[in-house]
Amino acid sequence: MDETGDTKPKKKDKWEIAQVILEPVGGLLTALAVAFLGFYGSRIVTQQQQFDSNFRLYSELMSKREESESSLRKDMFKSIIDAFLKPGMNSPLDAQLLNLELLAYNFHESLDLKPLFLHLEKTILAIKNPTERAAQLDRLEQLAREVTRKQVLSLEEDGAKFDRQIDLDSLKRNPGGIELDDDSMTVDGIKRLFRVVALEADQRTKNIKVRLEVRRLSDSLDETDQPNIVEFWTSYYDFPMIDNTRLSHDQRCAIVMTDFDEQSADISVVDFPGSHASLREKPYFDEIIEDLRKANK
């Protein structure tokens, strides 16, 4: 009863009604949210644990696989090398070619196989039967060309390449050499101008002597530094990952022969990062420091 003596209960306003309705609903929603977060969090933890477990298992399997492959390659390498180097061993030519094929296809990125190619070439050229000599020499050259093709394809992924053809008749008429068309290539943001001069050719051994001039260019195409000039002989047996010229900023350049006949010779000039060179090609200490300095910027 109020001061006026009215005993009628006071009517609740809409906010009080809403509070009465929403209080149990809010409690239910809170309980559902806590349950959902607990379930979701538990699921995330379980998935992460499962991922970590699978990753560790995968890492162990890959490690064991690498160890197994390394052991197999080591045994295969020793067996093949012994066939060439053990005293008193004089395998038939077909067996030597097969051993060289196994070496070339499995270890061409880390071994300098040119001495073995030259050794077998000398053996083949001593064959008196011209038909057999031509067939075996063609097999040897095809192997070398296939190795070169694989390496060039691998180097082109992060490098660049251009091709040129040398007219051997024109080279004979010009004892001072013939200059091929210049070209430029850009690798890792560094642009260089490449100039190749064919100096002489040996038809019997299918070798070509070239002079390579490499000059770094600025964005305005002005020549910015002194050229790197080298002269060398190149043949089917000079592979770019092994036989290359070191450039600044840990880059390499190689000239490879892709074809040779009586009229002409085809070559490719490849520019690529030093990280793609063979395992025996180590970067200079100052180049490593420079790379680390750039990475920290």
Side-chain angles (χ1 to χ4, degrees):
M1 184 175 64
D2 55 18
E3 295 178 355
T4 60
D6 188 3
T7 59
K8 186 177 180 181
K10 185 180 180 180
K11 186 177 180 180
K12 294 182 179 180
D13 59 23
K14 59 181 180 180
W15 296 110
E16 292 176 331
I17 296 174
Q19 182 180 6
V20 171
I21 296 175
L22 292 178
E23 275 186 353
V25 174
L28 177 61
L29 291 177
T30 301
L32 290 175
V34 171
F36 174 76
L37 290 176
F39 171 77
Y40 184 74
S42 176
R43 183 178 179 184
I44 292 297
V45 171
T46 302
Q47 288 179 345
Q48 184 63 40
Q49 291 175 345
Q50 183 66 32
F51 174 80
D52 293 341
S53 176
N54 291 339
F55 182 78
R56 286 194 298 269
L57 178 61
Y58 177 77
S59 299
E60 291 175 1
L61 291 176
M62 290 301 297
S63 177
K64 291 181 180 179
R65 177 182 174 182
E66 289 292 333
E67 291 177 1
S68 177
E69 289 184 353
S70 297
S71 178
L72 175 62
R73 286 167 63 84
K74 181 184 70 174
D75 294 340
M76 181 174 64
F77 175 76
K78 184 178 184 303
S79 175
I80 297 172
I81 286 295
D82 285 347
F84 284 104
L85 302 181
K86 273 190 175 179
M89 295 193 69
N90 189 17
S91 303
L93 182 58
D94 281 341
Q96 294 185 52
L97 282 170
L98 177 60
N99 287 329
L100 181 57
E101 287 171 345
L102 290 172
L103 272 179
Y105 288 133
N106 290 279
F107 302 99
H108 66 86
E109 295 182 354
S110 54
L111 290 178
D112 186 358
L113 297 173
K114 183 177 181 178
L116 290 179
F117 275 94
L118 293 176
H119 169 72
L120 285 185
E121 182 186 56
K122 182 179 179 181
T123 302
I124 292 172
L125 291 175
I127 297 175
K128 296 181 178 180
N129 188 323
T131 303
E132 181 184 359
R133 181 172 64 246
Q136 298 287 28
L137 188 61
D138 182 68
R139 178 181 174 184
L140 186 68
E141 291 176 352
Q142 288 291 339
L143 171 61
R145 293 166 68 178
E146 179 62 18
V147 171
T148 296
R149 186 188 68 83
K150 287 184 176 182
Q151 291 193 4
V152 169
L153 286 176
S154 176
L155 298 177
E156 277 189 282
E157 291 182 0
D158 293 310
K161 173 182 78 76
F162 67 83
D163 304 319
R164 291 293 181 267
Q165 186 174 79
I166 302 172
D167 187 333
L168 298 182
D169 291 332
S170 177
L171 185 58
K172 289 179 182 178
R173 296 191 300 268
N174 295 273
I178 55 175
E179 185 173 323
L180 308 182
D181 293 337
D182 296 352
D183 208 336
S184 62
M185 293 185 285
T186 303
V187 175
D188 291 339
I190 299 176
K191 188 173 185 178
R192 304 180 194 270
L193 177 68
F194 296 83
R195 180 173 299 149
V196 180
V197 180
L199 299 175
E200 56 181 300
D202 188 331
Q203 289 276 2
R204 187 183 67 85
T205 60
K206 298 183 179 180
N207 277 254
I208 291 184
K209 186 177 183 181
V210 298
R211 180 170 66 245
L212 172 65
E213 300 180 15
V214 184
R215 187 189 302 269
R216 184 180 175 185
L217 301 177
S218 67
D219 294 336
S220 60
L221 301 183
D222 294 329
E223 298 180 350
T224 59
D225 57 9
Q226 293 297 318
N228 187 352
I229 303 176
V230 290
E231 291 187 6
F232 53 89
W233 288 87
T234 185
S235 69
Y236 284 134
Y237 312 136
D238 294 295
F239 306 113
M241 287 185 177
I242 302 290
D243 297 288
N244 52 65
T245 299
R246 186 185 291 267
L247 305 176
S248 61
H249 301 279
D250 191 27
Q251 293 187 0
R252 306 289 189 274
C253 175
I255 295 181
V256 296
M257 183 183 298
T258 57
D259 196 14
F260 191 106
D261 56 35
E262 294 182 357
Q263 288 77 35
S264 63
D266 295 334
I267 63 171
S268 295
V269 182
V270 191
D271 182 18
F272 57 95
S275 58
H276 286 55
S278 69
L279 297 178
R280 72 185 184 94
E281 289 288 334
K282 303 299 183 183
Y284 292 139
F285 182 75
D286 56 342
E287 292 175 342
I288 297 177
I289 296 300
E290 180 65 17
D291 291 340
L292 291 175
R293 185 184 65 81
K294 290 181 179 179
N296 289 331
K297 283 186 176 181

